[in-house]
Each structure stands twice: as structure tokens, then as C-alpha cells.
Amino acid sequence: MADARGMSRRQVGLGALALGGGLAFASLPADPAAAAAPSRGGGRPALRHGSAREAGLLPGPLKQLVTDAEAFLQPSPEHPWYAGAVLLAGRGRTVALHRPIGMAVRYQAYDEETDTGVEFPPDQQIPMAEDTVFDLASVSKLFTSILAVQQIERGRIELEAPVASYLPDFGRAGKQDVTIRQLLTHTSGFRAWIPLYEAPTYEEKVRRVYDEELASPPGTAYLYSDLNLISLQLVLEHVTGRRLDVLLREEITEPLGMRRTRYNPPASWKPKIAATEDARKPWSGLDRGLVWGEVHDENAYSLGGVAGHAGVFSDAWDLAVLARTLLDGGVCGRRRILRPESVELMFTDFNTAFPGDEHGLGFELYQHWYMGAMATPRTAGHTGFTGTALVLDPTTDSFLVVLGNSVHPVRSWRSGSAPRVAAANQLARAVPVRPARGRTAWFSGMASAATATLALPALDTSSGAARLSCALWWDTEPKADVLVLESSADGGTTWQPVPFTTRRRGGSAEPHPTGTATGWSGRVWHDLTAGLPAAPGLVVRWRYTTDRLYVGRGAYVDGLRVESGHRRLFDESRPADATRLRAEGWSREDD
């Protein structure tokens, strides 16, 4: 099912890897066996459970991640966001958090008259477990995308080729120019979905896809659509001669040892599967009663449970294995499923023409609406309508799996993506930022709808040669959350921005003429210098302001110093000066 899109998205374009107008797949193997061959050097160790410290993470935020997630088991605000969830977070090859909460099976029905769930008797309810299997919904699209990129590696599919060159009937109704890349990046022009479940036969469902007219010309707009991945499924099955479920097993799950990932789980798995919705009209397209052990999405169900856009079932550990494989450039142990160049393309933004809708090949990029403070231009992931999410951050080598049954007992109880954002914020906070010098640095915090200030004492800069220097680290929701350097010569009645320059270690100088910093800075320390206005009692401060929706990782300041010629007016390293700093919302932290 086309998952509800979040709030506004932000743009930091990465650009596609291009060569003469086409995408370069230099030295990619045409031989299928080459893609699955053992990696050189004997492979890499598998995932393991370990402590936060062993993962290079701070334990406090991971504990808070669980606390935050448990809050959504209660009304938030009117109904629980999910009946239960499995949370998994890690960094490197260490899974530092793997925690089930709530119930996998709680309700046997939904009472629309009273807007309440009809619970199973207590002895028939099933709590969440670490290995509970979930209907992944649209997270399934990632598997289809990986399978497509594998076939691109092997030369059976070309990224810029028209879909109709593989499926001539697809070219009907003005779709002759839609490309494989446009299917993968949701720029084909398809509308979000059509009720294929109303068609009586499989052949009729396919015909409806072929006959579907586009909502916009190919490549002119971003519109998330299940039809893109259903079409890609048809291409894959045509060029390989294998069904999508067979491809999934032979090309991904068996090589990676993902034993709890598949389409159409057998009946024996049912007690370990999280239930989804009491599916009845009018909120569902089909009258099915409690959906448990079968795919929730109506179109995927009508396609026999095997579909390019939905239908994969999996558990948190298997998804962590997939995440680790991609973060390692497509290799797991001695098995390789993708070339590093291919993974790079999956994490490269092809949608620079559509700010806020950054998208790699199959993966969404830089989406604060569910990635929270984990979001960077390189952060990749996807969500699923049933309450699932997978987020990978190559910048910090971290990964997050949130699997919830948020349509249990009914889809209308769930709104927004707050639990995903909360979990991602805490994992981002768990990745330590080492002070630029010494043991501590000033931290702005990560609160929403807040203003934090860090002010120096009044200084005499009337000589006109005063300069501020410090180390600065920032990562904020672009444009929405802003860090400002400003000064006041009248005791704080009025404030003026102070232009400054930052230089990343080993990089070139970057001017900030408006005195502001926002968005992505590489999550590294920058050296900052700023000329200060001349005044007998100048107050200089940092002001960090966030909106009510999402936040980035925040801002850090270290080593504040003000000099005028050879005279030092302020030095944070001197205890007497440090005590004169006035912090509201900022804290001195040792990460």
C-alpha cells in the first residue's frame, strides 16, 4: 500500500553518477555467479549482540529509545500508535539494542460503533518477541529494488532503458518513454495506486497496469506509487524467467542467511507473526476479517501474496543483516549480493530536480519525517504502512529497525510517524560527538519548538579589531532549525547577526554572511572565525532555534575565545572566564 508521506522534505542534492549523460556501471560483472562470489580477504564477521559501549554508542539514549517507544503503547493522543513493536539499533557489527515491547496479537476485531478494539482473551494474546515476524508492507520495495540493481549489474536490465523495451505492452497509454530509473525513483508519472484487487484474474490485473495512463509526463514530477514497483516486478520476472518470490530467496535471503524473510509465510509461522488489521469495508478494500499471517495490502493479496510493492515478511534481525550488508558495500561474510558501486548508486540522490523528495535506487534519502535526527544526505531507508521502518546511516555506520503492528486493530488508529522519529532521534543522540579539545563541549540539545542561547559576558571591543574563534559542529533540519551568531551593543535590547567563516579540517573556507548555520555540515568539527563589531560592552551569543516538527543532531561549540590584537578578551579555557558564560538550553556535555 502506498505509505502516507510525511511532512515537508528538505533538499541537499548529491547528484547522480553520470558519464556522458548515462549512468556508469564500470567493471560490473555480467556473470551472475560473480555477484555472489566470496569477497576477497576472507569476508567479514557476522552481526553480534553487544553492549552500547562495544558498538561505540552512548547507553543513555538507547535506554531512552525504549522508554519513548513504550509511551506509544498508550493513547497518543487518542489511541495507541501500535499494539507492540520490536526495536533494533546497532552500529558497526554490534547490535546494541534488540527489544520487543507490547503485544504481537491483542485484538480479534475492531468495533466501529464504539471505536474500540475487541481483545482476545488474555490466554490467547501473544506478546512481542525478538524474533516476531512482521508484514513489512512497503519496506518490501527495497527487496525488489535490490533485485533490479542485481540485474542491472548482470546486464539484463539497463537503468535508462524504457520499460517498454522489456514489456512492449507496458508502452500503452502514453508510457512508452518511462524508464527503469523512473520506476525506482517514483518519477514515472504513475498515480499512487489503483484497486487491482477489483480485477477478477491475474491477467486482468496486469492489463490494468499496462492500460494505466500517467498522471504526469515521465520525469517531470515525483509521485510515490505502488505501480512503479509492481511494474518492476513484471520486468524482473520477464528477464529472469523466475517469479519474484524465487528471486528473493535465491538472490538475497539464502545468500545472506535471512531464514525468516519470505513471501507467503507458511501456516506454521502464524504464532510468531504479528497480526495486522480487522480488514473490512469501508476502511479496507476487501472484507477479510482479522489479517494474521497473510499480507495486509489488498493489491498484494490479490496478486497471490507476491508483489513488487508489498508482501515480504521478515523479523528485525534479518533486516539488520540486510542493513549491515548494504553498509558494508553489498557483502555479508563471504557472500556478496551487490557490488560496492551498485550500493553507492542506491544511496545516491537521483531526484535533485525535486527538492524534498531525495531518492536513490529504491531507497528514500534524507527524510526527517521518519529518519529524525539520523537523516543526512546519505541516510537511506523506507517505511511500511503496517508500521515498519528501516534506516541506514553510512555517515555514522549505524542502523535502526522499528517494526510495529500499527494497523492492529484498524488503520485509523495510527497517524503520523512519531515513534519512528523518536527512535531515530535517540539513536542519533547515542552516536557520540567527541569534543574538539578537552573533555567537554557545549551542546544545544535536540528539543523541538525550542530556543537555546549561549552568551559570552559583555566585552570591550571598542578598539575595532576583536575577533571570535571557536570550534563549531552542527547538523540541523535544513532551513527549519537555525543556529545564529549574533551580538548586542545595548545590553540585549536589540541583536544583530555576526557574519562568520567556517573551515572544515583540511577543507576550504565557507562564508556565512548572514551569521547563520543550518542543514548538513558533514558531522565534523569546523574552525570558526568572526570579526566582532566595536562597542564598549558587546555581548555575543549563539542562538539555536528549532521548529515543532523535526530536529537534527543539534549544535556543539567548543573553545570559545575573543582576541583583540595581542590582547585576549575572553578565553573559555580559563576557569574564571568559563564561569561567566550564560547558557539557557545549552549544556556542557562529555560525550
Side-chain angles (χ1 to χ4, degrees):
M1 180 174 293
D3 195 10
R5 298 296 87 189
M7 300 295 180
S8 60
R9 297 178 172 108
R10 316 298 181 189
Q11 179 195 30
V12 175
L14 293 176
L17 301 179
L19 180 62
L23 293 170
F25 277 89
S27 304
L28 299 186
D31 179 9
S39 61
R40 295 179 181 177
R44 304 187 180 191
L47 278 175
R48 61 183 181 273
H49 284 103
S51 68
R53 296 295 183 187
E54 289 171 332
L57 297 169
L58 302 174
L62 291 187
K63 292 179 182 178
Q64 189 62 44
L65 190 159
V66 177
T67 300
D68 291 348
E70 289 175 335
F72 292 100
L73 295 170
Q74 308 304 320
S76 51
E78 295 181 8
H79 300 289
W81 199 87
Y82 39 40
V86 178
L87 314 165
L88 186 148
R91 191 180 186 199
R93 288 171 186 82
T94 301
V95 172
L97 172 67
H98 191 181
R99 184 73 62 85
I101 61 172
M103 305 302 294
V105 181
R106 179 175 177 180
Y107 304 100
Q108 57 183 316
Y110 168 67
D111 185 341
E112 60 183 307
E113 296 296 327
T114 60
D115 189 25
T116 59
V118 180
E119 295 190 1
F120 280 104
D123 62 346
Q124 295 180 32
Q125 297 183 28
I126 302 175
M128 286 290 181
E130 287 186 351
D131 60 351
T132 296
V133 172
F134 287 77
D135 176 349
L136 298 183
S138 286
V139 175
S140 305
K141 292 178 170 71
L142 297 181
F143 292 95
T144 309
S145 302
I146 291 169
L147 292 169
V149 173
Q150 287 178 335
Q151 297 307 316
I152 292 170
E153 282 188 350
R154 299 168 191 180
R156 292 174 177 163
I157 297 175
E158 294 182 9
L159 191 60
E160 296 299 338
V163 178
S165 65
Y166 306 100
L167 305 171
D169 288 342
F170 180 90
R172 298 201 291 260
K175 299 192 300 297
Q176 65 276 1
D177 295 327
V178 173
T179 66
I180 297 295
R181 174 176 57 81
Q182 290 164 349
L183 296 182
L184 285 162
T185 58
H186 295 281
T187 57
S188 66
F190 270 130
R191 55 176 161 161
W193 73 289
I194 55 177
L196 295 177
Y197 53 82
E198 294 179 351
T201 65
Y202 178 85
E203 291 74 21
E204 175 64 15
K205 300 178 204 301
V206 172
R207 188 187 68 78
R208 291 192 181 186
V209 174
Y210 289 161
D211 288 344
E212 176 70 9
E213 296 183 0
L214 299 178
S216 59
T220 63
Y222 172 89
L223 178 59
Y224 181 87
S225 174
D226 290 347
L227 299 177
N228 288 315
L229 277 295
I230 293 172
S231 300
L232 194 59
Q233 171 191 2
L234 298 174
V235 173
L236 286 169
E237 293 181 340
H238 174 74
V239 301
T240 66
R242 290 177 284 174
R243 278 171 44 107
L244 191 65
D245 55 344
V246 176
L247 286 169
L248 175 71
R249 182 180 71 249
E250 294 180 351
E251 303 291 352
I252 299 179
T253 62
E254 283 188 353
L256 298 184
M258 297 170 63
R259 296 179 179 86
R260 299 181 71 81
T261 303
R262 59 170 294 163
Y263 287 101
N264 288 328
S268 60
W269 283 26
K270 186 174 179 179
K272 296 295 294 184
I273 296 176
T276 54
E277 188 174 35
D278 179 8
R280 289 182 281 121
K281 295 179 179 179
W283 57 86
S284 174
L286 297 172
D287 286 315
R288 299 169 60 193
L290 179 63
V291 179
W292 178 15
E294 295 180 319
V295 63
H296 172 261
D297 180 90
E298 295 95 334
N299 280 342
Y301 175 75
S302 76
L303 289 166
V306 179
H309 71 294
V312 177
F313 286 72
S314 188
D315 70 359
W317 187 265
D318 271 11
L319 289 181
V321 170
L322 179 68
R324 188 67 259 160
T325 299
L326 294 170
L327 288 169
D328 282 337
V331 67
C332 178
R334 296 183 60 84
R335 301 305 301 269
R336 177 172 292 283
I337 64 166
L338 287 172
R339 298 281 294 177
E341 300 93 329
S342 299
V343 177
E344 180 71 18
L345 285 178
M346 298 191 83
F347 291 177
T348 295
D349 182 21
F350 286 84
N351 283 3
T352 54
F354 310 111
D357 293 313
E358 291 83 357
H359 217 289
L361 300 183
F363 278 88
E364 297 171 330
L365 306 173
Y366 208 20
Q367 299 299 309
H368 284 82
W369 69 271
Y370 71 91
M371 297 175 181
M374 288 183 71
T376 78
R378 297 279 294 163
T379 305
H382 215 288
T383 63
F385 186 79
T386 50
T388 58
L390 173 65
V391 181
L392 324 175
D393 179 18
T395 304
T396 60
D397 201 30
S398 58
F399 49 93
L400 174 68
V401 180
V402 177
L403 299 180
N405 54 351
S406 65
V407 297
H408 184 53
V410 68
R411 67 189 69 186
S412 60
W413 279 18
R414 190 274 310 272
S415 63
S417 201
R420 296 162 174 153
V421 171
N425 284 349
Q426 292 301 336
L427 179 54
R429 179 68 182 88
V431 178
V433 176
R434 305 299 180 190
R437 51 184 69 94
R439 297 185 58 184
T440 61
W442 287 102
F443 176 45
S444 66
M446 294 170 55
S448 297
T451 297
T453 59
L454 179 64
L456 278 67
L459 302 172
D460 184 358
T461 61
S462 56
S463 67
R467 295 188 67 78
L468 168 75
S469 64
C470 67
L472 182 65
W473 189 108
W474 75 94
D475 176 50
T476 81
E477 185 190 4
K479 299 182 181 179
D481 300 340
V482 181
L483 179 66
V484 181
L485 180 63
E486 55 192 4
S487 66
S488 174
D490 55 13
T493 302
T494 60
W495 295 88
Q496 300 297 324
V498 177
F500 59 88
T501 298
T502 58
R503 184 187 298 271
R504 181 172 176 165
R505 308 290 167 83
S508 57
E510 179 184 357
H512 299 257
T514 62
T516 62
T518 186
W520 168 249
S521 72
R523 292 196 175 176
V524 296
W525 285 98
H526 295 242
D527 293 323
L528 177 144
T529 57
L532 299 180
L538 188 75
V539 179
V540 180
R541 74 179 185 184
W542 285 107
R543 177 169 53 86
Y544 181 54
T545 304
T546 60
D547 70 356
R548 67 179 182 84
L549 291 178
Y550 315 113
V551 295
R553 183 59 176 78
Y556 288 80
V557 174
D558 200 7
L560 285 161
R561 180 182 298 175
V562 178
E563 296 176 310
S564 179
H566 298 292
R567 196 161 51 99
R568 188 163 297 179
L569 304 181
F570 179 87
D571 189 342
E572 185 190 347
S573 65
R574 298 188 301 212
D577 282 358
T579 59
R580 299 164 65 198
L581 284 163
R582 300 193 307 275
E584 296 183 9
W586 291 69
S587 59
R588 195 73 174 166
E589 297 206 356
D590 177 4
D591 278 348

